[in-house]
């Protein structure tokens, strides 16, 4: 814009033309932002700083003397900065203590010394070396969320509000964007940072939306959202009206310098916000909240990825808060001591052959059964649905043996465990998050409860597995009768995926040369919480931990490796007592050897980049098409080369490809 055009706009704005005032503000938005950036990190949100800058700019427009012959920007800059500084001073946003003032004085003195010594302004590194003070950079980053997106870095009030008013859908990470989405009743989602998701009690976004009954519109990093979920704007409007009245009453009392004592009818339970359960990126599906609900107001329902999550029935919920109190994700887990580590195996070769690794679980289960107890573990039903079930006899334990690379269904199981604990000893075996969920539901570990957690790679989607099972049946034209994910027909270290069909035919192949095994190994369809699992460490929740003792050298237990060797961690005094009663073969190892062969004892599995694409296709396309696209095996020559090449050559090729 030329100087003449600018002066013409300023003249119109000074004479009361609101459109001219708005236009000159839009034309100089970059100037305002350049001043605002000086005050990043002062304790005031960026949007608020920009609004203050706009106020100072408008004051500059009104006060500028067109006849003075100077540039408008020269006059506007101190007005903009002055308005921001005035706010910071008057509202106490910046409290400068004595030590900070002394550091500022020392910095100024050092700058002058260096200026005279060097004959120029000193660099930051030179100032840091001279004063011993660190260099801290505070900056605002604005980047496009999509290469083809229209990028608006600044907008005047009318344009800003118009973007929300005319939007068909709003996706925002701004509190103000959330507010205007509600005001204009636009379908929306608000994305919040991990830190805000971890501390919802200190978030104004959580505070606002939970009060309005819109907590489900908040998503965190990695969440998937149902963009078609409707919003009951009538109910939101009622809640918003109530909150507005309370706010106005409070402000009126504050202005009149009298206490705020709102006189309103008690809020009914059904009108209070629903409990805020763990979000989808953290929820493990342990069912503690649903099992512990005194009104049965929580059900576990599968999402589009095939995982079960708790859903609250607002009509039945009495807002007692018990569900959030028993949720293991919402409570900090105490640290435990380092476990004792053993390589262990069952001396019964037949049971050991039928087990995934060393057959230690069977010995543990038999000990509990011989004591008159009950054993809970995961077993498939006739439709290849995996759920926890109770076993009362040794003859039933075969159903619980072996690895099952699917998340098991725990609906009603915790309550059943509690009923049996009143009568008998109980052994519960499951993933660490399932064991922790049981503890939270029970309020601790009863004396007659023994728990065994697993070294967990992550839990695959039950929905994906059941679709894969249907696909196998369709290709064979026979129902699946049984599945072994880890069959030792070719030895422990070359586990096979074996499928038995209704006509007696059997398909078997190395696990990671099957479609399901290959996708499982890539962590393609694990539960979102698995990629940030807090239980992936040596501080275990169960009394005992079982897994495969991978990483043994050829010279270590050479006579036993072909048959399978269990990794056994003894984690608690109760676990140690049980361990001493078991007639198993064992050899101690240092803890670091357990971690070396089982990295999930140190950290969660990384999130694969193709997971999002997989589940996007899974939601929209026929499963066989998804299977062929994402789970197919490499071409035969590639597989052959993989078997022939040495590990060193493979590593060199991977390095070249990178």
């Amino acid at each position: 814009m030329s100087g003449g055009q600018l002066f013409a706009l300023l003249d119109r704005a000074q004479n009361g033309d609101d459109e001219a005032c708005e236009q000159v503000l839009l034309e100089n938005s970059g100037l305002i932002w350049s001043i605002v950036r000086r005050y990043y990190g002062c304790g005031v949100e960026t949007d608020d700083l920009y609004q203050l800058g706009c106020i100072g700019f408008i004051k500059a427009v009104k006060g500028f003397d067109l006849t003075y012959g100077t540039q408008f920007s020269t006059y506007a800059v101190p007005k903009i900065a002055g308005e921001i500084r005035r706010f910071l001073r008057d509202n106490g946003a910046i409290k400068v203590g004595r030590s900070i003032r002394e550091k500022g004085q020392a910095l100024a003195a050092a700058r002058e010394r260096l200026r005279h010594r060097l004959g120029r302004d000193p660099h930051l590194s030179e100032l840091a070396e001279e004063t011993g003070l660190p260099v801290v950079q505070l900056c605002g980053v604005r980047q496009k969320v999509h290469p083809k997106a229209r990028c608006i870095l600044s907008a005047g009030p009318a344009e800003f509000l118009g973007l929300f008013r005319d939007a068909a859908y709003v996706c925002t990470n701004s509190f103000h964007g959330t507010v205007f989405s509600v005001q204009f009743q636009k379908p929306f989602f608000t994305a919040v940072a991990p830190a805000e998701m971890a501390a919802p009690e200190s978030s104004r976004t959580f505070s606002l939306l939970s009060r309005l009954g819109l907590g489900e519109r908040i998503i965190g990093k990695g969440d998937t959202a149902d963009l078609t979920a409707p919003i009951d704007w009538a109910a939101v409007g009622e809640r918003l009206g109530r909150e507005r009245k309370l706010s106005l009453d409070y402000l009126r009392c504050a202005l009149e310098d009298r206490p705020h004592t709102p006189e309103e009818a008690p809020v009914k339970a059904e009108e209070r916000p629903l409990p805020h359960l763990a979000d989808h990126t953290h929820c493990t599906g342990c069912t503690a909240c649903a099992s512990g609900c005194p009104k049965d107001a929580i059900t576990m329902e599968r999402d589009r990825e095939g995982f079960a999550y708790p859903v609250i029935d607002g009509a039945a919920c009495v807002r007692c808060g018990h569900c959030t109190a028993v949720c293991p994700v919402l409570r900090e887990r105490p640290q435990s001591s380092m476990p004792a580590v053993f390589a262990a195996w069952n001396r019964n070769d037949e049971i050991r052959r039928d087990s995934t690794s060393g057959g230690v679980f069977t010995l543990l289960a038999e000990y509990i059964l011989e004591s008159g107890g009950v054993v809970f573990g995961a077993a498939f039903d006739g439709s290849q649905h995996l759920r926890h079930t109770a076993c009362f006899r040794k003859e039933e334990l075969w159903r619980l043996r072996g690895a099952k690379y699917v998340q098991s269904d725990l609906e009603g199981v915790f309550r059943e465990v509690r009923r049996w604990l009143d009568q008998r000893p109980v052994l519960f075996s499951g993933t660490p998050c399932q064991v922790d969920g049981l503890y939270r539901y029970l309020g601790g570990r009863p004396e007659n409860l023994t728990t065994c957690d697993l070294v967990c790679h992550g839990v695959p989607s039950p929905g994906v597995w059941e679709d894969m099972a249907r696909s196998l049946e369709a290709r064979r034209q026979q129902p699946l009768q049984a599945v072994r994910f880890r069959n030792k027909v070719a030895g422990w270290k070359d586990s096979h995926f074996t499928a038995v069909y209704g006509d007696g035919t059997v398909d078997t192949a190395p696990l990671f040369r099957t479609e399901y095994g290959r996708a499982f190994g890539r962590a393609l369809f694990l539960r979102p919480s698995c990629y940030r699992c807090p239980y992936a460490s040596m501080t275990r929740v169960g009394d005992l931990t079982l897994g495969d003792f991978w990483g043994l050298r050829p010279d270590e237990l050479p006579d036993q490796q072909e048959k399978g060797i269990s990794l056994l961690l003894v984690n608690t005094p109760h676990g140690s007592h049980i361990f001493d009663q078991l007639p198993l073969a064992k050899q101690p190892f240092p803890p670091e050897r357990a971690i070396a062969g089982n990295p999930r004892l140190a950290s969660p599995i990384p999130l694969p980049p193709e997971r999002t694409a997989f589940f996007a296709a899974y939601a929209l396309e026929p499963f066989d098409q998804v299977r062929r696209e994402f789970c197919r095996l490499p071409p035969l020559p590639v597989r052959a080369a993989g078997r022939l090449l040495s590990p060193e050559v493979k590593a060199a090729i991977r390095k070249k490809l990178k």
Side-chain angles (χ1 to χ4, degrees):
M1 180 181 294
S2 67
Q5 291 173 319
L6 177 60
F7 274 44
L9 277 176
L10 289 171
D11 185 50
R12 288 165 52 195
Q14 291 179 349
N15 287 294
D17 189 333
D18 291 339
E19 290 186 4
C21 187
E22 181 179 340
Q23 187 177 347
V24 75
L25 181 64
L26 291 174
E27 293 289 345
N28 288 272
S29 172
L31 173 67
I32 300 173
W33 276 115
S34 69
I35 307 302
V36 166
R37 291 189 185 98
R38 301 176 187 177
Y39 299 93
Y40 283 175
C42 67
V44 179
E45 290 199 6
T46 304
D47 290 342
D48 294 336
L49 289 173
Y50 181 75
Q51 292 173 27
L52 291 165
C54 289
I55 294 172
F57 182 85
I58 293 170
K59 289 182 177 179
V61 170
K62 299 296 185 183
F64 181 63
D65 189 347
L66 296 170
T67 64
Y68 193 71
T70 188
Q71 289 189 348
F72 173 70
S73 59
T74 305
Y75 180 80
V77 167
K79 288 287 186 182
I80 298 168
E83 192 67 31
I84 296 173
R85 287 198 297 268
R86 187 178 300 107
F87 175 85
L88 297 176
R89 182 187 66 243
D90 295 344
N91 290 271
I94 299 178
K95 304 289 186 182
V96 182
R98 179 178 177 182
S99 63
I100 295 178
R101 289 198 303 271
E102 290 175 349
K103 289 179 181 178
Q105 293 167 0
L107 186 62
R111 181 183 289 113
E112 290 300 318
R113 287 196 306 271
L114 289 171
R115 186 181 289 123
H116 285 91
R117 188 190 310 164
L118 302 172
R120 57 172 172 80
D121 285 335
H123 302 308
L124 284 175
S125 58
E126 293 167 339
L127 279 171
E129 186 178 354
E130 181 76 11
T131 61
L133 298 174
V135 177
V136 180
Q137 180 180 347
L138 299 172
C139 60
V141 177
R142 296 170 175 266
Q143 62 184 38
K144 298 174 74 170
V145 295
H146 190 276
K148 296 183 179 179
R150 180 189 173 199
C151 194
I152 301 175
L153 298 182
S154 60
E159 184 182 2
F160 184 77
L161 291 174
L163 291 171
F164 289 92
R165 181 197 62 206
D166 301 330
Y169 208 102
V170 177
C171 299
T172 182
N173 61 356
S174 160
F175 175 75
H176 294 91
T178 304
V179 168
F180 289 121
S181 300
V182 173
Q183 294 280 26
F184 288 112
Q185 296 191 357
K186 298 294 180 179
F188 76 97
F189 274 94
T190 300
V192 299
E196 193 170 359
M197 185 68 78
E201 68 281 355
S202 59
S203 165
R204 58 179 177 173
T205 299
F206 274 96
S207 176
L208 172 67
L209 295 184
S210 64
R211 288 171 180 266
L212 300 180
L214 295 173
E216 76 281 358
R217 315 305 293 189
I218 300 174
I219 61 174
K221 185 178 181 181
D223 283 351
T224 56
D226 184 1
L227 299 179
T228 62
I231 297 176
D232 186 353
W233 288 115
V236 172
E238 291 179 7
R239 297 187 182 101
L240 186 59
R242 189 163 54 244
E243 294 296 332
R244 280 172 173 159
K245 183 180 182 302
L246 288 173
S247 297
L248 290 171
D249 289 344
Y250 176 84
L251 290 172
R252 194 174 293 110
C253 291
L255 291 171
E256 297 173 0
D257 197 22
R258 58 185 177 87
H260 179 231
T261 52
E263 297 180 3
E264 59 177 55
V267 179
K268 298 178 181 178
E270 61 270 18
E271 295 178 345
R272 296 199 297 269
L274 292 173
H276 185 74
L277 301 176
D279 63 274
H280 277 35
T281 60
H282 293 84
C283 176
T284 64
C286 72
T287 76
C289 56
S291 301
C293 179
K295 299 295 182 180
D296 292 326
I298 301 177
T299 56
M300 302 297 294
E301 298 180 10
R302 286 189 181 181
D303 69 350
R304 293 180 298 173
E305 295 184 350
F307 296 104
Y309 291 93
V311 176
I312 301 176
D313 180 355
C317 177
V318 295
R319 283 66 167 175
C320 65
H322 187 68
C323 54
T324 57
V326 300
C327 176
V329 173
L330 300 178
R331 298 291 178 271
E332 186 175 353
R333 184 168 66 91
Q335 295 295 309
S336 58
S337 57
M338 188 66 68
V341 176
F342 296 89
W345 57 94
N346 196 318
R347 291 189 173 93
N348 186 319
D349 285 343
E350 184 178 349
I351 292 176
R352 188 177 177 186
R353 193 181 308 113
D354 195 43
S355 304
T356 297
S357 51
V360 173
F361 170 77
T362 299
L363 285 173
L364 175 60
E366 288 177 342
Y367 172 80
I368 298 297
L369 293 177
E370 290 169 358
S371 305
V374 186
V375 177
F376 284 85
F380 283 110
D381 62 15
S383 60
Q384 299 306 312
H385 176 72
L386 186 68
R387 71 169 279 109
H388 265 63
T389 188
C391 286
F392 301 88
R393 302 190 310 273
K394 293 182 181 179
E395 293 76 18
E396 299 173 334
L397 290 178
W398 65 270
R399 301 176 61 209
L400 308 186
R401 282 199 288 267
K404 289 99 173 175
Y405 294 144
V406 190
Q407 183 167 32
S408 63
D409 182 357
L410 285 174
E411 185 176 0
V413 172
F414 286 179
R415 294 181 178 181
E416 189 178 356
V417 169
R418 169 169 275 172
R419 286 195 298 270
W420 282 114
L421 281 169
D422 293 334
Q423 310 169 40
R424 303 185 182 189
V426 171
L427 168 65
F428 181 90
S429 175
T431 61
C433 54
Q434 292 174 333
V435 172
D436 201 16
L438 177 62
Y439 283 159
R440 297 288 183 176
Y441 166 74
L442 296 173
R445 187 185 65 78
E447 289 186 5
N448 56 339
L449 173 65
T450 303
T451 58
C452 177
D453 68 52
L454 310 173
V455 180
C456 184
H457 174 81
V459 289
S461 163
V464 172
W465 160 247
E466 290 165 15
D467 283 336
M468 181 66 77
R470 301 291 84 80
S471 178
L472 292 172
E473 291 177 333
R475 281 179 274 173
R476 267 287 190 172
Q477 296 295 305
Q478 286 288 328
L480 270 173
Q481 185 175 333
V483 172
R484 295 285 300 276
F485 289 88
R486 295 267 310 281
N487 192 353
K488 292 189 292 193
V489 291
W492 174 47
K493 294 187 176 181
D494 190 19
S495 298
H496 277 48
F497 178 93
T498 301
V500 182
Y501 297 93
D503 61 356
T505 56
V506 177
D507 286 339
T508 189
L511 173 64
F512 297 112
R513 296 184 203 165
T514 64
E515 292 176 332
Y516 190 82
R518 175 175 165 79
F520 170 71
R522 291 157 54 203
L524 190 59
F525 38 65
L526 304 185
R527 194 178 183 95
S529 60
C530 296
Y531 305 107
R532 56 176 69 192
C533 177
Y535 305 99
S537 72
M538 288 290 282
T539 55
R540 311 301 295 178
V541 294
D543 295 310
L544 301 162
T545 297
L546 281 175
D548 293 81
F549 207 128
W550 303 121
L552 289 171
R553 298 191 302 268
D555 62 324
E556 294 177 315
L557 306 171
D559 297 336
Q560 307 296 334
Q561 287 199 35
E562 188 67 17
K563 301 176 183 179
I565 300 175
S566 296
L567 171 67
L568 176 60
L569 308 184
V570 182
N571 308 315
T572 66
H574 178 73
S576 180
H577 170 74
I578 298 293
F579 172 75
D580 290 338
Q581 314 305 313
L582 302 181
L584 49 79
K586 56 186 181 288
Q587 180 172 318
F589 278 85
E592 55 268 21
R593 290 298 307 280
I595 299 172
N598 294 273
R600 301 290 77 79
L601 290 173
S603 61
I605 194 161
L607 175 69
E610 63 267 33
R611 184 188 187 277
T612 301
F614 173 85
F615 277 113
Y618 182 69
L620 301 172
E621 301 171 3
F623 180 76
D624 277 342
Q625 183 175 333
V626 177
R627 173 182 61 78
R628 287 192 295 269
E629 182 179 355
F630 291 92
C631 305
R632 67 180 183 273
L633 300 177
L636 184 60
V638 175
R639 282 182 278 161
R643 290 194 296 270
L644 294 173
L645 297 176
S646 67
E648 293 78 14
V649 173
K650 292 179 185 177
I653 293 173
R654 284 195 293 269
K655 187 176 180 181
K656 280 282 186 183
L657 292 174
K658 288 181 180 179

